[in-house]
Amino acid sequence: MALPDLDTSVGHSFGLEVDGITIKQISEVSGLKMEQDVIELKQNMADGKYVVKKLPGRKKAGEVTFTRGLTGDNSFEKWVKDAQFGKMGAARKNGVVVVYDYEGQPIKRYKIMHAWPKSLEIGSLKAGDTSVLTEKLVVTYEEMDVE
């Protein structure tokens, strides 16, 4: 179901699916971006006038960061290890970030293709701290598409 006119989605209702498996407890997704190169064509016209035209170039690869609270789930660590040990056949995955409306129905799907983990960062460990310990997974992808 589409959102009613003049309604917009809120950013708190989303999910992550990688190779058909839902990765739970993702608290933040940042860096989803579709981008392409810009080609500048500089030329003189027949009347001698100098013109600069901008043309679309190749798509750019991107990076997205997934943040979640630290749990016993080791899917992030396993994925990083596959990439570190050169098992790129297992490490390159397709994933989808799904945004849901207020009724829980999907309204947008951001598909990332040929993605693999670049880094995994664990939040700060501080004695006496009561904040949630997080892990941030930075994933690089070759292509992004909106479904």
Side-chain angles (χ1 to χ4, degrees):
M1 174 178 152
L3 289 172
D5 289 344
L6 304 177
D7 276 358
T8 58
S9 180
V10 291
H12 67 78
S13 189
F14 59 90
L16 171 64
E17 298 171 5
V18 177
D19 282 348
I21 300 168
T22 302
I23 296 179
K24 299 178 180 169
Q25 299 174 333
I26 301 291
S27 59
E28 182 179 346
V29 176
S30 60
L32 278 176
K33 180 166 65 168
M34 293 175 74
E35 189 176 12
Q36 68 188 66
D37 287 327
V38 176
I39 300 168
E40 280 195 6
L41 176 63
K42 300 173 184 178
Q43 61 186 9
N44 286 326
M45 302 303 281
D47 61 358
K49 186 176 176 182
Y50 178 74
V51 211
V52 177
K53 291 184 180 181
K54 294 198 177 200
L55 307 169
R58 293 183 185 154
K59 292 181 186 178
K60 285 187 177 182
E63 290 183 359
V64 62
T65 302
F66 299 103
T67 305
R68 70 176 181 178
L70 188 67
T71 66
D73 179 19
N74 66 352
S75 57
F76 280 1
E77 293 90 346
K78 182 181 179 325
W79 196 12
V80 169
K81 285 181 183 177
D82 284 344
Q84 286 178 339
F85 292 123
K87 299 178 183 175
M88 294 311 288
R92 284 187 192 274
K93 298 183 180 292
N94 294 329
V96 179
V97 176
V98 184
V99 179
Y100 299 98
D101 67 8
Y102 56 91
E103 293 179 335
Q105 299 300 315
I107 56 171
K108 286 272 189 178
R109 297 172 57 86
Y110 299 95
K111 185 175 181 182
I112 56 175
M113 287 151 297
H114 311 292
W116 54 273
K118 174 184 166 186
S119 67
L120 178 63
E121 177 185 345
I122 308 303
S124 298
L125 301 168
K126 297 178 191 172
D129 192 7
T130 58
S131 61
V132 174
L133 188 58
T134 60
E135 56 184 351
K136 288 185 181 185
L137 180 71
V138 178
V139 173
T140 185
Y141 57 89
E142 293 176 4
E143 197 174 335
M144 187 179 112
D145 194 17
V146 182
E147 297 179 336

